[in-house]
Amino acid sequence: VSKQIEVVITPALLPLYKVQGKTVVVIDILRATSTMCVAFKTGVAKILPVSTPEECSIFKDFDFLCAAERNAVKLPGFDMGNSPFEFINPLLKDRSIAFTTTNGTKAIKQSKELGAAQIAVGSFLNMEVLSAWLKHQPNDVILLCAGWKDKANLEDTLFAGALIDQLQNSFETTCDSALMAQQLYLGMQHDLEGFVRKSSHAQRFKALQAAEDDVRYCLQFNTAPVLALMQGEYIVNATPQVAE
Amino acid sequence: VSKQIEVVITPALLPLYKVQGKTVVVIDILRATSTMCVAFKTGVAKILPVSTPEECSIFKDFDFLCAAERNAVKLPGFDMGNSPFEFINPLLKDRSIAFTTTNGTKAIKQSKELGAAQIAVGSFLNMEVLSAWLKHQPNDVILLCAGWKDKANLEDTLFAGALIDQLQNSFETTCDSALMAQQLYLGMQHDLEGFVRKSSHAQRFKALQAAEDDVRYCLQFNTAPVLALMQGEYIVNATPQVAE
């Protein structure tokens, strides 16, 4: 029997799906899951997703760096916000990070609460490593788009479509959202950046006069080739080591 | 100030949008809103959308014809199900119909409960009349895809995209779902039927060995050029009369 794959275009719809026992890939292209991949490439030890800025700041007392973003803006008093450029800093090596964002960390926690067997972090930056792992792990897969405040967004759906396209020979799907996401990606793959710049979130960045470079950065393929998986309460670097 | 247009890809997300004072176009291509257009072309006087088959059957005592569908199948004991072919019958002329379907009539009732100023019925069969009316009415517009049991589906999203494409010079949008639907339509417009036949609902029809012809029928442009609007509890034929 083939493994099944589905796309859930916003976390608001996740309760309609059977999550128990499945592998959930959480997708928040702008920017939480892209930034997490960058963090692990930099050498971060582990990331603790937390729900609120208040909860996040508690971890300052426990030798964590604390990163908090709401509405695309870094919150005052925290070490980092949610820009991938903040996570390239070599001082982050071997550190633990408590992390809260508007959409991405919420989607991760929701997947855990609904009983996902595995939770992986997906972005263009780690697409190839992720898809190779998805092919060989045994579970049915849900691609969960973090969206924007429970609405669907363009960039997460587009990446879900790219991943569906790459995985199509290894999975079956009867999911219309998967078909639509794939078709969207196939239609726009030659101008991903132009298409994503039309999105509501890119427009939001523009209005903030911040993070415009982040859009281009987060649309690069395989520049942070890490496998990031949830283990217990943490997201960790689980990249397979190639024997020398 | 330009009028705004948004796409809501499943009724489960409608509570995230401001509906009050807007015009909602309910879209259930396979098949409720397509079938309603056919009914008005046939000369039906009015359609009463009701929530349950039990409620629907009450209207048998009041000179209504009663149509009820669940899970793509006509329910036993009713005059009609939800196939457009059942509504071509000239005996339906001037009759009133009580109508309940899995997704479409629910989306209509939900729009009313959330305070829509106007509710229109959208399908490929009445697309041109509908879009001409939408351009000239004063309200912001929500295109509400009825979907399948609160999940998004392909054919409703595709029609929303066709309508967005036709209306783009008359409305503004900052809605990612509208951008995605339009892009999906533009990519697939030369093979709508081939694309829709891949959808979960077309596959569902195939499994039932029924209603396969309905797919082709419901993808015709402007073959039932009626404007169908909610007035009070009823959907009525509000097609503008052209002066002779």
Side-chain angles (χ1 to χ4, degrees):
Chain A
V1 182
S2 289
K3 291 179 287 183
Q4 297 286 319
I5 193 162
E6 294 169 300
V7 170
V8 180
I9 47 178
T10 134
L13 300 179
L14 192 60
L16 300 174
Y17 294 78
K18 182 178 175 292
V19 178
Q20 191 91 33
K22 293 188 178 171
T23 292
V24 176
V25 178
V26 176
I27 299 167
D28 186 0
I29 298 301
L30 298 176
R31 301 166 285 176
T33 57
S34 301
T35 292
M36 288 176 186
C37 293
V38 172
F40 287 119
K41 187 186 178 192
T42 296
V44 160
K46 57 186 193 289
I47 295 173
L48 181 67
V50 296
S51 299
T52 65
E54 294 69 29
E55 191 185 347
C56 192
S57 56
I58 292 171
F59 289 88
K60 289 178 187 173
D61 299 336
F62 296 91
D63 200 33
F64 279 71
L65 291 167
C66 295
E69 167 267 351
R70 282 297 181 275
N71 298 316
V73 175
K74 172 182 181 281
L75 295 183
F78 286 87
D79 300 304
M80 287 93 74
N82 189 19
S83 169
F85 293 106
E86 296 173 284
F87 289 75
I88 295 173
N89 186 340
L91 292 176
L92 270 58
K93 192 167 177 341
D94 299 326
R95 297 295 301 270
S96 299
I97 297 175
F99 200 10
T100 185
T101 71
T102 311
N103 306 291
T105 55
K106 191 178 146 202
I108 290 168
K109 291 186 77 79
Q110 189 186 4
S111 303
K112 191 172 158 68
E113 282 156 18
L114 291 173
Q118 290 265 26
I119 299 168
V121 165
S123 74
F124 288 102
L125 311 183
N126 75 335
M127 181 164 160
E128 196 170 304
V129 171
L130 174 64
S131 65
W133 177 78
L134 286 170
K135 284 177 190 173
H136 292 102
Q137 60 80 47
N139 306 324
D140 291 340
V141 169
I142 287 175
L143 306 184
L144 174 59
C145 299
W148 183 261
K149 298 188 177 179
D150 281 344
K151 293 182 181 177
N153 78 21
L154 194 152
E155 65 276 11
D156 295 346
T157 310
L158 203 58
F159 176 73
L163 206 49
I164 289 283
D165 196 56
Q166 187 143 109
L167 293 171
Q168 63 183 349
N169 295 326
S170 305
F171 289 86
E172 281 185 355
T173 190
T174 56
C175 166
D176 276 14
S177 297
L179 281 174
M180 291 194 281
Q182 182 184 15
Q183 205 52 55
L184 197 69
Y185 171 72
L186 289 174
M188 300 315 297
Q189 62 182 315
H190 302 298
D191 186 23
L192 286 185
E193 190 180 329
F195 191 42
V196 170
R197 287 209 181 274
K198 289 185 192 169
S199 75
S200 57
H201 201 54
Q203 293 298 321
R204 201 174 292 123
F205 281 174
K206 208 169 172 180
L208 292 168
Q209 299 186 307
E212 272 218 73
D213 290 341
D214 290 17
V215 173
R216 179 171 297 126
Y217 192 90
C218 293
L219 295 177
Q220 300 174 101
F221 283 85
N222 304 315
T223 56
V226 298
L227 177 65
L229 298 179
M230 197 99 184
Q231 284 183 5
E233 299 298 320
Y234 294 98
I235 303 162
V236 300
N237 188 342
T239 312
Q241 299 302 312
V242 180
E244 294 188 22
Chain B
V1 181
S2 289
K3 291 179 287 184
Q4 297 287 319
I5 193 162
E6 294 169 300
V7 171
V8 180
I9 47 178
T10 133
L13 300 179
L14 192 60
L16 300 173
Y17 294 78
K18 182 178 175 294
V19 177
Q20 191 91 33
K22 292 187 179 171
T23 292
V24 175
V25 177
V26 176
I27 298 167
D28 185 0
I29 299 301
L30 297 176
R31 300 165 287 177
T33 57
S34 301
T35 292
M36 288 176 186
C37 293
V38 172
F40 287 119
K41 188 187 179 192
T42 296
V44 159
K46 58 185 193 284
I47 295 173
L48 180 68
V50 296
S51 299
T52 65
E54 294 69 30
E55 193 184 344
C56 193
S57 57
I58 292 171
F59 289 88
K60 289 178 187 173
D61 299 335
F62 296 91
D63 200 32
F64 279 71
L65 290 167
C66 295
E69 168 268 351
R70 282 297 179 277
N71 299 316
V73 175
K74 172 182 180 282
L75 294 183
F78 287 87
D79 300 304
M80 289 92 74
N82 189 17
S83 169
F85 294 106
E86 296 173 283
F87 289 75
I88 296 172
N89 186 339
L91 292 176
L92 271 58
K93 192 166 177 342
D94 298 327
R95 297 295 302 268
S96 299
I97 297 174
F99 200 9
T100 184
T101 71
T102 311
N103 306 292
T105 55
K106 191 178 146 204
I108 291 168
K109 292 185 75 79
Q110 189 187 5
S111 303
K112 191 173 157 69
E113 283 156 17
L114 291 173
Q118 289 265 24
I119 299 168
V121 164
S123 75
F124 288 101
L125 310 184
N126 75 334
M127 181 165 160
E128 195 170 304
V129 171
L130 174 64
S131 66
W133 177 77
L134 287 170
K135 284 177 190 174
H136 291 102
Q137 60 79 48
N139 306 325
D140 290 340
V141 169
I142 288 175
L143 306 185
L144 173 59
C145 299
W148 182 260
K149 297 186 178 179
D150 281 344
K151 294 182 180 176
N153 78 22
L154 194 154
E155 65 277 10
D156 294 347
T157 310
L158 204 57
F159 175 74
L163 206 48
I164 289 284
D165 196 56
Q166 186 144 107
L167 293 171
Q168 64 182 348
N169 294 326
S170 306
F171 289 86
E172 282 185 354
T173 190
T174 57
C175 165
D176 276 13
S177 296
L179 281 174
M180 291 193 281
Q182 181 183 17
Q183 206 53 54
L184 196 69
Y185 171 72
L186 289 174
M188 300 314 297
Q189 61 182 315
H190 302 297
D191 186 23
L192 286 186
E193 191 181 328
F195 192 40
V196 170
R197 287 210 179 274
K198 290 185 192 170
S199 74
S200 57
H201 201 53
Q203 294 298 321
R204 199 175 293 122
F205 280 173
K206 208 170 171 177
L208 292 168
Q209 298 188 307
E212 272 219 74
D213 291 340
D214 290 18
V215 174
R216 180 171 296 127
Y217 192 90
C218 293
L219 296 176
Q220 301 173 100
F221 283 85
N222 304 315
T223 55
V226 298
L227 177 65
L229 298 180
M230 196 98 183
Q231 285 183 5
E233 299 297 321
Y234 294 98
I235 304 162
V236 300
N237 187 341
T239 313
Q241 299 302 312
V242 180
E244 294 189 22

